[in-house]
Amino acid sequence: MSSILVVGSVALDSVETPFGKVDEALGGSATYFSAAASVFADIQLVGVVGSDFQLSRLDFLERRGVDFAGLEVVEGDSFRWAGVYEYDLNTRRTLSTELGVFADFSPTVPASYRAADWVFLGNIDPALQHAVLDQVESPRFVACDTMDFWIEGARESLEKLLGRIDLLVVNDAEIRELAGEYNLRVAARWVQERGPRHVVVKKGEHGAVLFSGDSVFFAPGYPLEEIFDPTGAGDAFAGGMVGYLAYVNHENDEELRRAVVFGSALGSFACESFGPNRLAELDENDVFERVAIFREMTRFEELAPEGA
Ligand code: AMP
């Protein structure tokens, strides 16, 4: 199995949706990414938690092949995030972000991770994303996520990071804010001009668009009948994408298109429960079954014009 190095938040999330509420559930960008990507690859995680964190909450990920040698436990409070979703689950409001031990974190990538081919820089301070990348010898493919908090608070560092990555995965509001441009195609080009060949723009339940060089590919969102909590769907999407690429061990344009569908499939599973529980119980077959439904959902026969 290929392995993927991921850095990101390991968090305690308090989330309210129209369908329920949880307090201090396991969350974080690295957690959701790992829960999804570990269906297809071994994961090497870099992050930090505080002394208040119950490490046994990560046991299910360890059983799935996530290596926690790069997770530091430091005296202090863990990262905490609180958010609320109104009836439109595509828009959420952050109530609070408490960085806790992440504020002074200086990541050390374990020697056993440094030869990583596949790297995912999960949503976290761009300075930490740089610091991790500095310690990886010669990564083959680097994907990266971010959010408004860092676009507003660490723009310079983030723009520099674009020059070091192959794929940026963000949502529509984020890329508009980053590029200062409403039109997604123009915004994606703005990003591509600064480094990454590939840009994925996630549009919540409405799917995701891949911009690769000059080409555009679109995958719909999976029409779930019941959604509990979209938190982590974006990270699970990235986990599905990068996990799939590592699994097939290719990153050409054809595989990237397929990877977007795997991302959409994993993103949809993430919404089926509060926290990463649903992702934790998935196996490869569940994912392939859902991907087959995507194919069915988007298949149509082209009609030749009359007289052709
Ligand atoms: P997503 O819904 O995929 O965008 O990711 C939500 C996850 O990101 C939650 O589990 C949060 O703990 C985590 N998160 C929220 N804000 C931040 C932030 N500023 N930096 C890092 N992680 C965050």
Side-chain angles (χ1 to χ4, degrees):
M1 242 193 191
S2 307
S3 49
I4 305 168
L5 187 157
V6 55
V7 60
S9 52
V10 176
L12 298 172
D13 286 351
S14 297
V15 183
E16 192 174 339
T17 80
F19 316 108
K21 196 174 161 192
V22 282
D23 247 356
E24 309 224 322
L26 175 63
S29 52
T31 310
Y32 277 107
F33 177 90
S34 302
S38 58
V39 174
F40 295 111
D42 290 330
I43 309 295
Q44 301 172 319
L45 186 143
V46 176
V48 64
V49 289
S51 40
D52 55 354
F53 194 89
Q54 239 184 324
L55 286 171
S56 59
R57 297 181 83 167
L58 300 173
D59 284 353
F60 73 96
L61 289 175
E62 199 153 27
R63 281 196 296 275
R64 280 256 290 252
V66 179
D67 183 342
F68 287 104
L71 180 71
E72 283 179 43
V73 184
V74 170
E75 193 57 41
D77 294 330
S78 296
F79 182 100
R80 280 178 172 72
W81 176 79
V84 57
Y85 296 83
E86 310 298 343
Y87 215 74
D88 171 7
L89 292 171
N90 289 322
T91 46
R92 79 166 161 223
R93 204 152 38 86
T94 290
L95 298 176
S96 65
T97 303
E98 294 166 31
L99 293 178
V101 290
F102 261 105
D104 301 312
F105 181 47
S106 160
T108 309
V109 175
S112 55
Y113 290 14
R114 291 189 182 185
D117 279 334
W118 306 91
V119 176
F120 181 67
L121 306 171
N123 175 26
I124 197 64
D125 189 337
L128 300 181
Q129 296 175 314
H130 276 288
V132 165
L133 213 43
D134 289 343
Q135 297 173 62
V136 183
E137 284 156 14
S138 56
R140 162 174 167 184
F141 190 85
V142 181
C144 174
D145 183 12
T146 192
M147 75 186 293
D148 54 358
F149 191 86
W150 307 112
I151 297 170
E152 288 152 26
R155 171 174 284 275
E156 209 183 304
S157 177
L158 192 55
E159 285 194 20
K160 267 202 203 113
L161 192 66
L162 294 179
R164 305 182 70 185
I165 64 172
D166 301 286
L167 164 68
L168 180 74
V169 188
V170 280
N171 70 32
D172 42 2
E174 289 158 354
I175 199 166
R176 286 180 173 130
E177 185 173 8
L178 179 63
E181 167 63 50
Y182 182 82
N183 182 289
L184 293 181
R185 198 163 187 178
V186 178
R189 197 174 313 124
W190 184 96
V191 172
Q192 287 171 309
E193 280 165 3
R194 281 155 183 80
R197 170 170 169 77
H198 314 284
V199 178
V200 167
V201 181
K202 298 167 290 175
K203 294 152 71 83
E205 66 179 313
H206 305 300
V209 194
L210 166 71
F211 300 90
S212 261
D214 290 329
S215 85
V216 183
F217 174 74
F218 178 75
Y222 181 79
L224 285 171
E225 286 199 25
E226 266 198 318
I227 299 181
F228 284 97
D229 174 14
T231 306
D235 304 303
F237 179 98
M241 254 197 103
V242 183
Y244 172 77
L245 292 173
Y247 174 79
V248 292
N249 205 26
H250 275 295
E251 70 275 40
N252 58 32
D253 289 2
E254 269 311 295
E255 290 298 3
L256 264 136
R257 287 177 171 227
R258 259 194 287 269
V260 172
V261 179
F262 277 76
S264 290
L266 266 304
S268 70
F269 282 119
C271 300
E272 292 182 23
S273 69
F274 279 98
N277 307 5
R278 178 73 179 112
L279 294 171
E281 64 190 28
L282 292 178
D283 63 25
E284 226 176 86
N285 289 335
D286 299 319
V287 179
F288 275 92
E289 262 172 40
R290 187 155 291 183
V291 166
I293 300 175
F294 273 88
R295 204 171 87 127
E296 207 37 50
M297 278 194 316
T298 51
R299 188 176 60 83
F300 71 98
E301 302 303 329
E302 225 175 318
L303 194 66
E306 262 180 57

